[in-house]
Amino acid sequence: MYNTLLRCTYNNVSDLDQEDQYRIEYLNAFNLEEFDDKQINKEVSALFERLKTSNDLTKCITKSAAIFFSEDLHIGLMGLFAFDFFYLAHPCICEFLETGTINEEKINALLSAL
């Protein structure tokens, strides 16, 4: 289950610590202590099924897929977990999972970054 209680902070720490903090937060988003690609892929697939009902998130996922020269929305969703986008995508994902909506300012920040 996706961790909606996690608050991303890696983008606010010193450059030397950012990558390590990102890795920790990425794993925490999936409630993992170490990298497990099978578990992450399973969680992302389940997450995709929930997120695809959001027009706003589908726009972001589609735009993310295009960055990777793809139209595959699963690739697009994985792209949202990249270092440059995770701190923006995670709050959008959490808000949608918790409330069924996403604050316009948050989604626009993510779309702009993509």
Side-chain angles (χ1 to χ4, degrees):
M1 179 124 245
Y2 194 75
N3 183 356
T4 59
L5 300 177
L6 171 70
R7 298 298 167 240
C8 288
T9 60
Y10 73 91
N11 58 308
N12 295 322
V13 298
S14 72
D15 288 344
L16 295 175
D17 299 326
Q18 273 189 333
E19 287 188 33
D20 289 338
Q21 187 65 27
Y22 162 74
R23 287 185 194 106
I24 291 167
E25 291 176 8
Y26 175 82
L27 292 175
N28 284 340
F30 297 103
N31 295 301
L32 296 173
E33 292 186 18
E34 57 186 44
F35 188 80
D36 180 342
D37 63 331
K38 289 180 183 176
Q39 186 62 34
I40 290 171
N41 287 335
K42 180 180 169 185
E43 291 291 336
V44 169
S45 291
L47 189 59
F48 177 77
E49 291 304 313
R50 295 179 70 191
L51 301 181
K52 71 181 182 181
T53 61
S54 166
N55 290 333
D56 289 329
L57 283 171
T58 300
K59 285 180 202 173
C60 294
I61 292 168
T62 301
K63 200 169 177 182
S64 173
I67 292 170
F68 299 98
F69 305 104
S70 178
E71 294 179 1
D72 185 326
L73 297 183
H74 285 91
I75 289 173
L77 179 55
M78 287 301 297
L80 295 182
F81 292 99
F83 181 91
D84 291 335
F85 309 121
F86 181 52
Y87 73 98
L88 295 168
H90 179 72
C92 294
I93 292 168
C94 292
E95 189 169 338
F96 181 75
L97 293 175
E98 292 172 349
T99 69
T101 62
I102 305 168
N103 173 287
E104 188 175 340
E105 188 175 314
K106 287 179 187 175
I107 202 73
N108 286 339
L110 177 56
L111 279 168
S112 294
L114 294 167

